[in-house]
């Protein structure tokens, strides 16, 4: 099977996803060729200033923080809050409830155990 290559993917703004302030963006880049329940999808997530995004994960996902302008704040259902910086890695197990907030923007690369387009 040949290598897949997407040059300049980080420079493309992901598409807008439904969010309270229309300030959250997600774009899938690649999905593995595997049975649907074993597919891995990766791409980019961007949270911009404005209304927080509340999200409950229906799959396991990991993020690498690439860029942060201003403050990027993540809070889970226990009240644990972190302020990730570029180079930090996050793991969200299936069922985790998260609130994403930013005073500027945060760009993240993600990999999740889900089919394409099922965020």
């Amino acid at each position: 099977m040949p290598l897949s290559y997407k040059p300049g993917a980080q420079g493309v703004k992901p598409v807008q996803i439904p969010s309270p302030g229309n300030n959250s963006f997600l774009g899938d880049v690649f999905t593995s060729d595997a049975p649907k329940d074993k597919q891995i999808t990766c791409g980019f997530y961007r949270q911009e200033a404005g209304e927080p995004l509340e999200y409950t994960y229906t799959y396991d996902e990991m993020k690498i923080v690439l860029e942060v302008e201003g403050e990027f704040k993540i809070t889970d259902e226990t009240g644990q809050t972190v302020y990730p910086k570029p180079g930090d890695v996050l793991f969200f197990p299936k069922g985790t409830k998260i609130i994403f907030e930013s005073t500027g923007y945060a760009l993240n690369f993600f990999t999740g155990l889900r089919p394409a387009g099922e965020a």
Side-chain angles (χ1 to χ4, degrees):
M1 178 174 285
L3 163 77
S4 294
Y5 175 64
K6 180 93 171 182
Q10 182 177 335
V12 177
K13 188 172 185 177
V15 296
Q16 191 173 50
I17 59 173
S19 62
N22 297 317
N23 55 324
S24 302
F25 304 84
L26 183 83
D28 295 348
V29 175
F30 291 120
T31 299
S32 62
D33 182 21
K36 192 172 182 178
D37 65 330
K38 294 181 177 27
Q39 288 180 335
I40 299 170
T41 297
C42 70
F44 294 93
Y45 164 70
R46 182 179 173 106
Q47 181 66 40
E48 296 184 349
E51 294 294 317
L53 172 67
E54 296 184 30
Y55 188 76
T56 301
Y57 281 88
T58 58
Y59 53 90
D60 289 346
E61 183 179 280
M62 296 178 194
K63 287 185 184 344
I64 300 171
V65 180
L66 301 174
E67 299 175 11
V68 175
E69 180 182 284
E71 185 176 84
F72 184 36
K73 178 180 173 183
I74 300 175
T75 306
D76 70 13
E77 70 267 17
T78 71
Q80 176 184 344
T81 299
V82 295
Y83 297 87
K85 305 284 186 221
D88 292 352
V89 178
L90 304 154
F91 173 53
F92 305 97
K94 181 179 179 177
T96 303
K97 295 177 184 176
I98 296 291
I99 299 172
F100 295 98
E101 300 176 74
S102 180
T103 61
Y105 78 89
L107 179 65
N108 303 262
F109 177 80
F110 73 85
T111 300
L113 185 61
R114 65 164 176 81
E118 290 194 13

